[in-house]
Amino acid sequence: MFITFEGGDGTGKSSHATRVVEWLRGLGHEVVQTREPGGTELGQQLRNIVLHGPDDLSDRAEALIFAADRAHHIQSLVRPALERGAIVVQDRYLDSSIVYQGRGRGLGAQQIRDLSIWAADGLMPDLTVLLDLKPEIAMQRMRTGRGRLDRLESLGLEFHLNVREQFLKLAREEPERIHVVDADRPERLVSDEIRGLVEAKLEELQQA
Ligand code: TYD
């Protein structure tokens, strides 16, 4: 089973991913926790370029770096894990590219979707958890939680308002796969809801 977490910056994806991973491991499953960009050694280098690289990095170059990271990551880490029966829990995947590069940067959602699917050789998540939170609150959390913002985080409120809208639009387009979880609630409630979604999907896959 391949689970991805999506949502704007500062919505709590990585902490909720970690909670799900710990819970699944407790049930005895082999779980691989990973992320994009940067889930591999090469990916770490690409992550550094794309998040802290030159100010004049073009939007198309940015999109291709995310795609290169994805191609390598899926082929070298994610697919082998899925093939041996592990559950993969991943922070961000192709929906981030569609939203940030396709719609945020205006490169075209369909083109970026096609590029991502080509890069990943067709691999789609079984379940995508979309953590939804007002960017005003998310950005506040980021400022208090960490230091310097990266290239994408520092794009300003309007960009991030659009990112949120576009994620919600994707969820309406693919309601079977993408589940919206309201992240503006106590962590406990959010993680209980996520757990329920994962449990339901596990059962569904076991019956299939
Ligand atoms: P992430 O690792 O989630 O950031 P952090 O750990 O700092 O919260 O993602 C880094 C940034 O990369 C984030 O702003 C979203 C962006 N991104 C894209 O623009 N396109 C993509 O395809 C991916 C995977 C991430």
Side-chain angles (χ1 to χ4, degrees):
M1 162 144 112
F2 183 28
I3 307 169
T4 58
F5 279 78
E6 296 281 5
D9 298 273
T11 52
K13 294 179 300 302
S14 54
S15 46
H16 283 295
T18 301
R19 284 177 170 224
V20 166
V21 167
E22 283 166 1
W23 166 66
L24 286 168
R25 283 187 183 143
L27 296 177
H29 295 283
E30 187 202 343
V31 187
V32 173
Q33 184 176 12
T34 186
R35 68 169 179 180
E36 289 185 10
T40 60
E41 220 171 286
L42 170 68
Q44 281 297 331
Q45 297 177 41
L46 295 172
R47 180 182 172 89
N48 195 37
I49 297 172
V50 85
L51 297 187
H52 307 291
D55 288 340
D56 64 352
L57 184 71
S58 77
D59 293 347
R60 282 168 194 260
E62 177 186 290
L64 289 167
I65 295 170
F66 281 115
D69 169 66
R70 178 156 307 138
H72 182 65
H73 179 233
I74 295 301
Q75 181 266 329
S76 66
L77 192 131
V78 175
R79 250 184 222 286
L82 293 172
E83 276 163 14
R84 66 173 186 266
I87 298 175
V88 175
V89 176
Q90 181 167 320
D91 199 340
R92 293 195 186 277
Y93 190 43
L94 85 169
D95 300 305
S96 282
S97 287
I98 297 169
V99 165
Y100 283 79
Q101 281 67 53
R103 291 176 176 159
R105 297 296 203 194
L107 293 174
Q110 192 58 48
Q111 283 93 327
I112 295 295
R113 190 174 208 278
D114 291 346
L115 172 70
S116 284
I117 290 176
W118 179 81
D121 199 14
L123 184 68
M124 290 298 288
D126 297 298
L127 170 68
T128 296
V129 176
L130 171 57
L131 288 173
D132 181 52
L133 184 63
K134 274 189 184 155
E136 292 90 334
I137 302 173
M139 290 170 94
Q140 194 54 44
R141 285 190 190 172
M142 281 194 296
R143 279 194 203 97
T144 48
R146 308 182 242 140
R148 199 163 68 91
L149 301 184
D150 67 42
R151 280 178 66 251
L152 287 135
E153 286 167 351
S154 55
L155 279 171
L157 186 58
E158 209 168 311
F159 184 91
H160 291 284
L161 286 168
N162 186 40
V163 161
R164 181 188 188 204
E165 284 281 300
Q166 299 304 335
F167 269 126
L168 291 172
K169 186 164 174 236
L170 276 187
R172 288 193 296 273
E173 289 165 3
E174 278 189 74
E176 281 290 299
R177 173 174 68 89
I178 307 176
H179 294 260
V180 182
V181 173
D182 175 7
D184 191 13
R185 291 178 299 163
E187 256 188 69
R188 184 60 212 229
L189 291 181
V190 177
S191 59
D192 283 352
E193 186 177 345
I194 296 171
R195 206 171 276 195
L197 291 171
V198 174
E199 248 167 0
K201 183 55 75 174
L202 268 175
E203 272 171 32
E204 187 189 314
L205 293 178
Q206 271 158 3
Q207 279 161 12

